[in-house]
Amino acid sequence: MAITAQISIQRDGLTLRGRLDRPEGVSCPAVILFHGFAGDIGDRPGDIYQLLTETLVQAGFGVVRIAFNGHGKSDGDFTAMDPLNLLEDAFGVLDYVRSLDWVNGIAVLGHSQGGVIGGMLAGYCPDLIDRLVLLAPAATLKTDAQTGHCMLARYDPARIPDAVNVDGVHKVGGKYFRIAQQLPIYEVTARFTGPVLDIHGIHDRIVSVEASKRYARELKNCRLVLLNRLDHGLDGGDREGMLREILDFLRDWKVGEE
């Protein structure tokens, strides 16, 4: 049997909302799942985050998903979101998970922008996090900000506007890009020396596979898996292969903890 609960976390006057899924009646490791840019916790049937959660719970892991500020059902204004306050959200989630009496280990799994934030969280807290999974981590957000583009938008990187409409729907505040230009993504993440699994689609059209290749060079204990049929949204013919890689990586840790 599995337990599912809607959860909320207070962080600097904001309420971050999400979901907890775990096996009933046992202590187990918890996996913190961080979603990507403009996403949410993805708890709809068929969503990749839901599929990941169901797979992990069935294998004996708890999963905690929280929508970042300005996303999903969490408080905040999307335009006011930036890498530093996303990191504050991540710290809030980590504190919450550490307070749960059934948790006997913590892994972080981050997709796209959530991979950047999750990786940096692991770098800031290498003593609190046991394993790290990066799925198409969007470290290119830094070089994109330095060259003045984001999705469909182009802007002058030396004179960043107050807000940029990046896709016709989402407006990102200029503060986001100013911070992103100087964000120490690899430097901080490399402080985490525990086991890392990095999975990236070779033909990803949103985030270059070169981002993950650099993670593999910079991180001391990183296994890079490149898949031919996996898009940036984690869909495609290699989706099942991705799930097997994640499960094997985390099962190895869970067995080692017993």
Side-chain angles (χ1 to χ4, degrees), residues 176-224:
Y176 178 101
F177 302 111
R178 294 179 186 276
I179 293 170
Q181 285 182 344
Q182 305 300 325
L183 196 64
I185 296 171
Y186 295 106
E187 295 88 341
V188 170
T189 307
R191 294 187 68 248
F192 182 75
T193 58
V196 181
L197 173 66
D198 186 338
I199 301 177
H200 211 124
I202 295 172
H203 306 295
D204 189 328
R205 296 185 178 182
I206 306 298
V207 173
S208 170
V209 69
E210 295 304 317
S212 283
K213 290 180 179 179
R214 182 170 174 185
Y215 273 111
R217 293 193 302 269
E218 299 278 350
L219 273 61
K220 184 177 182 179
N221 195 9
C222 180
R223 177 170 178 260
L224 177 62

Side-chain angles (χ1 to χ4, degrees), residues 68-103:
F68 286 117
N69 74 87
H71 293 73
K73 295 179 180 179
S74 290
D75 289 354
D77 177 359
F78 184 86
T79 306
M81 171 267 302
D82 64 56
L84 296 184
N85 60 43
L86 295 177
L87 274 167
E88 290 292 346
D89 293 346
F91 272 100
V93 178
L94 179 59
D95 287 344
Y96 169 80
V97 171
R98 293 182 64 215
S99 75
L100 299 173
D101 60 10
W102 54 266
V103 172

